[in-house]
Amino acid sequence: MMNGRQAVEAKGGMPNCGSCGRMLCTFLPRDPMQVVQQKHFLKRGARLDSADGESCLRFWIVVQGTAASCTAFEDGRRQIVSLETKGETICSLMAGPGTQNWLEALSDCMICEVDLSSRARELHADPAFLAATFHVVHRRLERCQTHVTTLGRLDSVERVTLFLAEMAVRAGATPETQPLVALPMSREDIADYLGLNSETVSRILSKLKKSKLVKFLSPSEFVIPDLAALDRRLPVDIPTPQVFRSGVVPAGPSTLREVSA
């Protein structure tokens, strides 16, 4: 079931958009009747609910915008589990007992949905497809483990600092370049992602602004003048862009320090 869908375009066959690194799109058959493909155009706040148990081969690929994989427990509190930006592949969200999972648009998004359930028998015996899906799942588990470590071992200032650094890296920041970063999340969204409250997030952002480690040009736009200096303030490495592209097999160093060394 899908809620808040603004528009859906169902098509047979997939153009070579490259949004998932061509790992999953290559498995689409020429016959459009053998696969279900949809494009979801979501406004901020719109949701795609978790897939039912029969859709274990359903994937969502972010083509434009920023979304969040979310979960909520019986008390109704939302927790953002993972941020999803352009090029990222999301496996079917599985909701456990007493929970609800969904994909929520943090900005206007286009999500490409590929449902390969009708080809399950064929693909379960395809080594290349199994390798591709294993890579997607492995990278997402790796990111999840890193985020859990962040919540468990970093203090509130370190969490917010690392979050801003990660958003900058997603936008193309390097020790040599300082792009303008558009923050697609509200203070409440950031709090739900980092396990804090919105007042704490606002206070820490003001503190970082005064320290000149982060330069805010508006409430939702900032620049990190010296990413290497910010990196030295953190007890963990800032991930490189490859970490945020679960559909692409990474090559080379895996941390900012290794890249800049």
Side-chain angles (χ1 to χ4, degrees):
M1 181 181 295
M2 301 167 192
N3 294 332
R5 184 168 61 200
Q6 304 300 314
V8 176
E9 179 183 1
K11 291 185 177 181
M14 170 84 75
N16 185 19
C17 64
S19 61
C20 66
R22 298 181 298 279
M23 290 187 69
L24 296 174
C25 297
T26 55
F27 291 94
L28 290 177
R30 294 182 180 276
D31 183 357
M33 300 301 293
Q34 295 184 27
V35 67
V36 176
Q37 181 211 342
Q38 297 177 322
K39 290 182 180 177
H40 304 274
F41 298 88
L42 306 177
K43 294 293 185 181
R44 174 179 169 81
R47 299 181 178 186
L48 295 177
D49 283 348
S50 58
D52 57 40
E54 296 179 358
S55 297
C56 60
L57 290 179
R58 179 182 296 178
F59 301 89
W60 288 327
I61 302 158
V62 180
V63 180
Q64 294 176 358
T66 301
S69 296
C70 303
T71 187
F73 296 93
E74 292 180 350
D75 61 3
R77 177 65 186 267
R78 179 185 70 162
Q79 174 69 46
I80 295 180
V81 178
S82 178
L83 299 181
E84 319 294 353
T85 52
K86 181 179 178 180
E88 295 177 17
T89 302
I90 303 106
C91 307
S92 296
L93 301 173
M94 303 302 293
T99 66
Q100 179 186 7
N101 292 357
W102 69 91
L103 185 70
E104 181 174 329
L106 298 179
S107 65
D108 291 354
C109 290
M110 181 167 72
I111 309 294
C112 182
E113 177 182 313
V114 178
D115 190 344
L116 300 173
S117 300
S118 63
R119 303 181 64 209
R121 185 183 299 274
E122 171 190 351
L123 293 176
H124 282 166
D126 188 324
F129 178 76
L130 295 178
T133 53
F134 176 80
H135 176 72
V136 170
V137 172
H138 175 76
R139 293 305 296 271
R140 294 192 66 80
L141 288 175
E142 185 178 46
R143 285 175 52 194
C144 182
Q145 182 178 18
T146 300
H147 187 53
V148 169
T149 302
T150 297
L151 298 182
R153 300 303 298 270
L154 272 61
D155 63 31
S156 57
V157 175
E158 291 168 340
R159 294 184 205 180
V160 175
T161 303
L162 180 60
F163 165 75
L164 294 177
E166 289 180 352
M167 296 303 293
V169 168
R170 289 173 186 258
T174 69
E176 293 76 32
T177 60
Q178 301 84 34
L180 178 66
V181 183
L183 195 61
M185 305 168 68
S186 68
R187 301 302 188 256
E188 290 76 14
D189 291 334
I190 297 172
D192 285 349
Y193 180 56
L194 298 179
L196 303 171
N197 59 58
S198 57
E199 292 79 10
T200 299
V201 170
S202 295
R203 175 176 54 80
I204 294 172
L205 290 176
S206 297
K207 181 178 180 180
L208 291 174
K209 182 178 180 180
K210 291 179 181 178
S211 72
K212 298 183 179 181
L213 286 172
V214 181
K215 181 179 180 180
F216 277 92
L217 306 181
S218 74
S220 61
E221 294 181 317
F222 69 91
V223 173
I224 296 181
D226 190 341
L227 188 62
L230 193 69
D231 187 35
R232 290 192 292 270
R233 295 289 190 97
L234 292 167
V236 296
D237 293 326
I238 300 173
T240 58
Q242 290 91 338
V243 174
F244 306 113
R245 297 292 180 267
S246 58
V248 180
V249 178
S254 60
T255 67
L256 181 68
R257 290 194 176 101
E258 290 172 339
V259 172
S260 59

